Amino acid sequence: MAEEAAVRAQAETVRRLKQDKADPDEIAKEVAKLLEMKAQLGGDEGKHKFVLKTPKGTRDYSPKQMAIRERVFNAIITCFKRHGAEVIDTPVFELKETLTGKYGEDSKLIYDLKDQGGELLSLRYDLTVPFARYLAMNKITNIKRYHIAKVYRRDNPAMTRGRYREFYQCDFDIAGQFDPMIPDAECLKIVHEILSDLQLGDFLIKVNDRRILDGMFAVCGVPDSKFRTICSSVDKLDKMPWEEVRSEMVGEKGLSPEAADHIGEYVQLHGGLDLIERLLQDPKLSQNKLAKEGLGDMKLLFEYLTLFGITGKISFDLSLARGLDYYTGVIFEAVLLQQENDHVEDPVSVGSVAGGGRYDGLVGMFDPKGRKVPCVGVSIGIERIFSILEQRVEASEEKIRTTETQVLVASAQKKLLEERLKLISELWDAGIKAEVLYKKNPKLLNQLQYCEDTGIPLVAIVGEQELKDGVIKLRVVATREEVNVRRESLVEEIRMRTTQP
Amino acid sequence: MAEEAAVRAQAETVRRLKQDKADPDEIAKEVAKLLEMKAQLGGDEGKHKFVLKTPKGTRDYSPKQMAIRERVFNAIITCFKRHGAEVIDTPVFELKETLTGKYGEDSKLIYDLKDQGGELLSLRYDLTVPFARYLAMNKITNIKRYHIAKVYRRDNPAMTRGRYREFYQCDFDIAGQFDPMIPDAECLKIVHEILSDLQLGDFLIKVNDRRILDGMFAVCGVPDSKFRTICSSVDKLDKMPWEEVRSEMVGEKGLSPEAADHIGEYVQLHGGLDLIERLLQDPKLSQNKLAKEGLGDMKLLFEYLTLFGITGKISFDLSLARGLDYYTGVIFEAVLLQQENDHVEDPVSVGSVAGGGRYDGLVGMFDPKGRKVPCVGVSIGIERIFSILEQRVEASEEKIRTTETQVLVASAQKKLLEERLKLISELWDAGIKAEVLYKKNPKLLNQLQYCEDTGIPLVAIVGEQELKDGVIKLRVVATREEVNVRRESLVEEIRMRTTQP
C-alpha cells in the first residue's frame, strides 16, 4: 500500500532528525505528522497515539541541568540578598483584567486560561505587573524585594538561543519615594555584580532614559501621538539596520522623512559623561524640558556609577528604547559582547541578558485613588545564561554531581540487607547523606560502580567479621584506601572526610 | 434612589465582613456584588472598576510568609538530599492529553488553557503524572528524584485550613525494578524524618495496600467492575462516619447490604504486625491471591520499618484507600494527631499532611510499547504545614527577619552621600550584605530606627573626622556599643561580628 510506504518514509524522517539532534520543534512537527498519518491508516490500536512531548516552547530540566540552574540561582540570590532584598511570591495566574493595558502590542502574547466558570484568568507575562498589583493591594509604599519565578509568553521561541515560552525571570525592584538616582544606580551595580560573578565573558550595560527619548522625539518633530510607536521602532535597532527601521518609521508609521533622519543622527550617539555634557549643551535638546530633566538625572547617575567603579562597562546609548510601555525614566539593558570561545565550539548567540528601568506610574494604575509609588527594577534573563553555561559544561566535559550523597552503605557478603538498613538508618538519623542499593544481595563490584557513576566519595562496608568486631570498613572511592572505623565513630569520620575545605 | 441605598447597604456589608475578618472568599463574593451594583448604577468613572485581588483560591506570599516557607522547604530538601535524591523540573502546563485518563473523578478539577491556536494545554494537577511522562519520554528506567513545584486544582478551597487552588507539592519518588518493599520503606522513613524535624506535634502514618483492598472487596462479594468506585467510598471514611459511607455504597453505588456490612467489619481494623499475621490466617482473605501478596509484602515492610525504628508511628489501617486511580500497591497517608496547643489559641484543623504509594502502571501508560517502570513515592502537603507554622509564629510573637543584611552604612552629618556610596560599594565587593538609605541627608536617628525595624545588627557610620583618621565607627545596634575600626579591617570586623556561631 502506498500509504504504508509513506508512513515508513515519514518514520525514517523522524528517526533521522532525532539522530541528527535536530531542532526539537521540527522533530515534534514531524512526529505529529507521522502520528496523524498512522491514525488515518487506522492500523494502530490507538492506545498510545498521543505525542510524548512537553508543550511547544517549554522543556523539562534534567538533574544535570538543575545542578547548573541552581548554581546560577545561587549567584543571583546571593547578590540580591547582599543588597538587602526581601523575597515575595505571587500566583502563576492573575485576573485577566490585571494584565490588561499594561504591555502594549505584546498583549497578544499573553496565555489565557479557558473560561470554566468563575473568574477570567491569564498566566503572568512578567513579574513586574504582579509586583505592582501586590503593592497597590497591600498599600505598600516602600519595599526592596526580589522575585524569582516562571513567566509565560506565546512567542515563537528559538529554543536553541535560549528563548522559551515558559522561562524564569529573576527580578529585583526598589519601590518608594527616594532621592533621585540612588536606587537606579544600585540596580545597575547589581547587574554588574551578577554578570561579573557568573563569568560569562565581557559585557556592556546600555543606559538611556525615556524622558531623553521623548524629548528627542519632540525636537525631531515627531507628533506626541506617535511617541510610543516610534519608540517601538527605535527598540528594533538591536536587530535591524537603521535603514529598515527608518523605512518602518516613514512607510508604516507615517513619520516625515526629515523627522526620521533627524532621529537617525541622535540614535547613533553613545558614550559616557562627555556625551551627556555635550547633549546638555545641544541647542535643541537643552530647550526641551523632559530631555533636560532626563539628561540631568543621567549625569547624576553617572556620578554614582563612578563611585561604584563600574562606568567602564556602562554606555549611555541613545538607540536604547526597551519594548514595554510602562517605563517612565531610566532604562537599561545588558548585552554579552562575545563568547569565551576557548571552551565552546559552537557559541550560542545571545542578545540581552538583563534589562530594566524606572516605572513610576504602574502602581498608580492599580490604586483605587491613583496613588503613585515610584519603582525601579532589574530583570535577569536567566534562560540565556543557562544556555551558555550548559553548553560550556558540555564542551568542558566537567563532571557535575547531581546528588550530595556522602556515603554508600554496602556489603561484601550475602544476607546482610538487614544490617545495611540498620546502619543507614543510624546514618540518616545523624544527618549523614547516605544511600543503599535496593537489592537484597548486591554484588560489591556493582556497589562500587554505583559510587563511581554518581560521584559518591565513601563506601561503608558491612561484613560478618566487622559486625562481630564492632567496626565498619570505610573505603575511599577515589584512592581505594580502606580503614576500619569503630561503629560509634563512623558518623564523625564520614563528616571529617566529606566536609568541604 | 433605591439603587443607591442598596449600594450603600452592600458597601456596609463588605465593610463589616472585612472588619470581622470573614472568610476571604465570602468577602470577595460580596465585593464582586458591590462592584457589579456600582457598575449598573453607572456612576463611577470606571477607571478602577476591577477588583484588586489574587484569583480565587490563590494567595501572595509576603516576605514574612516567604521566610517561614523557606524554612519548611529547607527541612524538606535537606531530607530528600540526605536520601540521595536528584532534582528535576517540568513545565507548569502539559499537553491536555497527557493528563487525560489519569485522575478518575477528579479530572473535572483540571485547569485548561484557552485554545489560542496550537496545542491544547492544561495546568499540571500533580507532579506524579508529569514525572511518569518525563520517564517515558526520556526512557529512564531508574531514578530517585525530588520535585518541588506548584500544582493546580479547581477545587472549592477552604483557605483558612490551608487548602488552595494553587499549592505546592514536595514529591520524592523512586523509580526502578528493585527487590520488594525496600524503596517503599524508605519513603515512609522520609515522611517520619520530615514530620519529626518540623516539630508539628504528634503524628501517625496510616499504611495499607491496594492489593489488600481489592482482595478484601473480592472476598466481601464486590463485583470486579465496582472495585474502584467502592474504593472511592472507603476513601471518604476519614471525613464521613461509616453509616454514611455504607449508605453511599448501597444506595448510590448499588452494592448489596451484605457486602457492605462485610466491608464494614474489615475497615474497622488497624494495628501492626499482629494484625497482619491475623489476616494472613483469615480463612477468606488468605484464599485470595491479591490479598495474600499484599499481606506478605506488608509484613516485609513492617520488618524494614522495625529496622528503621519507626513502627511506633505507623498503623496498618484497612480503612485507608487514597483517592487516586493510579496506585497499585502500598499506599500511605500521614495525619497530625493534635496541635501543640501551648502556643496556639485557635488551632488550625488539618487533615493529612503527607501521602503517597506505589504506582507500577503509570509510566507504562505513556510508553509507546507499554513498558512498565515500577514507582513508589511520597508527596508532602506543604500548605497545611505552612498554615500551622504561620499561626504558631503569629501566636508566639517571634520576630522573623526577612533580610540577611549585616550592616547599614550610615552617616551622622550631611553631605556624606558620596562617602556612603563609596564605602557600601567596597563592602558589596567584599561580599558583605549591606544597605544604605536612599536619601542624600538622612537623620542618624532614622538610620538607627531602620536597623531596629529590620533587625540589622551593625551600623557603619561615616563621619568627617573618621574619614580624616582613616577609620569607620562601627556600632552594635543591640548594645549601642561603638568602636572605631580601621577602614582596611572593616570587612573582617563585620564578618567576625555577624558569623553565626
Side-chain angles (χ1 to χ4, degrees), chain A residues 53 56 60-61 86 89 92 116 119 133 154 166 179 186 189 402 429 435 438 440, chain B residues 53 56 60-61 86 89 92 116 119 133 144 154 166 179 186 189 402 429 435 438 440:
Chain A
K53 68 184 282 287
K56 184 179 177 191
D60 297 317
Y61 282 83
E86 305 182 279
D89 194 19
V92 79
Q116 295 171 284
E119 300 163 333
R133 192 265 307 145
R154 295 181 62 254
E166 174 188 61
D179 282 329
E186 184 168 5
K189 174 80 169 104
T402 54
D429 292 343
E435 288 184 71
Y438 303 123
K440 280 180 99 150
Chain B
K53 69 184 281 289
K56 183 178 176 191
D60 296 318
Y61 282 83
E86 305 181 278
D89 194 18
V92 80
Q116 294 172 285
E119 301 161 335
R133 193 264 308 144
K144 180 162 56 180
R154 294 180 62 255
E166 174 188 60
D179 281 329
E186 183 167 7
K189 174 80 170 103
T402 54
D429 292 342
E435 289 184 69
Y438 303 125
K440 279 180 98 149

Side-chain angles (χ1 to χ4, degrees), chain B residues 146-165:
Chain B
Y146 71 91
H147 188 186
I148 297 185
K150 289 175 176 174
V151 302
Y152 298 87
R153 300 183 185 179
R154 294 180 62 255
D155 223 329
N156 275 319
M159 293 191 288
T160 42
R161 269 178 284 164
R163 287 182 65 101
Y164 291 86
R165 289 184 158 196

Side-chain angles (χ1 to χ4, degrees), chain A residues 430-493:
Chain A
I432 298 291
K433 294 169 189 145
E435 288 184 71
V436 64
L437 292 200
Y438 303 123
K439 280 182 81 77
K440 280 180 99 150
N441 297 309
K443 291 189 180 124
L444 185 60
L445 207 66
N446 291 347
Q447 296 175 86
L448 296 178
Q449 188 59 47
Y450 183 77
C451 294
E452 296 277 0
D453 293 346
T454 60
I456 300 176
L458 298 174
V459 194
I461 304 172
V462 182
E464 298 281 5
Q465 189 55 49
E466 287 85 354
L467 284 170
K468 277 183 204 142
D469 300 344
V471 297
I472 302 288
K473 188 179 280 170
L474 196 62
R475 178 186 169 110
V476 181
V477 176
T479 61
R480 300 178 184 187
E481 171 200 356
E482 291 187 344
V483 283
N484 278 344
V485 180
R486 292 212 58 77
R487 191 160 181 143
E488 57 271 25
S489 315
L490 184 63
V491 166
E492 198 41 55
E493 186 72 23

Side-chain angles (χ1 to χ4, degrees), chain A residues 102-113:
Chain A
K102 308 298 185 306
Y103 300 108
E105 290 175 17
D106 286 350
S107 298
K108 63 179 184 298
L109 303 182
I110 293 174
Y111 277 96
D112 290 330
L113 269 75

Side-chain angles (χ1 to χ4, degrees), chain A residues 251-267:
Chain A
E252 288 172 41
K253 302 192 169 172
L255 193 66
S256 74
E258 298 72 33
D261 291 335
H262 205 150
I263 292 173
E265 285 165 33
Y266 278 119
V267 295

Side-chain angles (χ1 to χ4, degrees), chain A residues 48 50-56 58-63 66 69-70 81-95 97-98 110-114 116-117 119 121 123-124 133-134 136-138 143-144 146 150 152 154 166 168 174 178-179 182-183 186 189 193 303-304 307-309 364-368 370 402-405 417-418 421-422 424-425 428-429 431-441 450, chain B residues 48 50-56 58-63 66 69-70 81-95 97-98 110-114 116-117 119 121 123-124 133-134 136-138 143-144 146 150 152 154 166 168 174 178-179 182-183 186 189 193 303-304 307-309 364-368 370 402-405 417-418 421-422 424-425 428-429 431-436 438-441 450:
Chain A
H48 294 292
F50 59 80
V51 193
L52 198 55
K53 68 184 282 287
T54 60
K56 184 179 177 191
T58 68
R59 60 166 166 177
D60 297 317
Y61 282 83
S62 70
M66 285 299 280
R69 185 174 119 177
E70 309 253 290
K81 286 190 173 171
R82 191 159 58 230
H83 288 262
E86 305 182 279
V87 57
I88 70 161
D89 194 19
T90 66
V92 79
F93 42 60
E94 295 279 344
L95 297 186
E97 59 190 1
T98 298
I110 293 174
Y111 277 96
D112 290 330
L113 269 75
K114 192 168 150 187
Q116 295 171 284
E119 300 163 333
L121 307 174
L123 297 186
R124 62 183 161 211
R133 192 265 307 145
Y134 173 80
M137 190 172 136
N138 297 287
I143 191 173
K144 180 161 57 181
Y146 71 92
K150 288 174 177 176
Y152 299 87
R154 295 181 62 254
E166 174 188 61
Y168 269 98
I174 301 169
F178 302 114
D179 282 329
I182 314 178
E186 184 168 5
K189 174 80 169 104
E193 284 178 19
E303 283 166 19
Y304 296 154
L307 295 171
F308 290 161
M365 289 174 77
F366 290 105
D367 189 275
T402 54
T403 69
E404 297 175 9
T405 309
L417 172 62
E418 299 208 343
L421 293 184
K422 228 154 81 183
I424 199 168
S425 186
W428 284 332
D429 292 343
I432 298 291
K433 294 169 189 145
E435 288 184 71
V436 64
L437 292 200
Y438 303 123
K439 280 182 81 77
K440 280 180 99 150
N441 297 309
Y450 183 77
Chain B
H48 294 291
F50 60 79
V51 193
L52 199 54
K53 69 184 281 289
T54 60
K56 183 178 176 191
T58 68
R59 61 165 165 177
D60 296 318
Y61 282 83
S62 69
M66 285 298 280
R69 185 174 119 175
E70 309 254 289
K81 286 190 173 171
R82 192 159 57 230
H83 289 261
E86 305 181 278
V87 56
I88 69 160
D89 194 18
T90 66
V92 80
F93 41 61
E94 294 278 345
L95 297 186
E97 58 190 0
T98 298
I110 293 174
Y111 277 97
D112 290 329
L113 269 76
K114 192 168 150 186
Q116 294 172 285
E119 301 161 335
L121 307 174
L123 297 186
R124 61 183 162 212
R133 193 264 308 144
Y134 174 80
M137 188 172 136
N138 296 287
I143 192 173
K144 180 162 56 180
Y146 71 91
K150 289 175 176 174
Y152 298 87
R154 294 180 62 255
E166 174 188 60
Y168 269 99
I174 301 170
F178 302 115
D179 281 329
I182 315 177
E186 183 167 7
K189 174 80 170 103
E193 285 179 19
E303 284 167 17
Y304 296 154
L307 295 172
F308 290 162
M365 289 174 76
F366 289 106
D367 189 276
T402 54
T403 68
E404 298 175 9
T405 309
L417 172 62
E418 300 209 343
L421 293 184
K422 229 153 81 181
I424 199 169
S425 186
W428 285 332
D429 292 342
I432 298 291
K433 295 167 189 146
E435 289 184 69
V436 64
Y438 303 125
K439 280 182 79 81
K440 279 180 98 149
N441 297 308
Y450 182 78

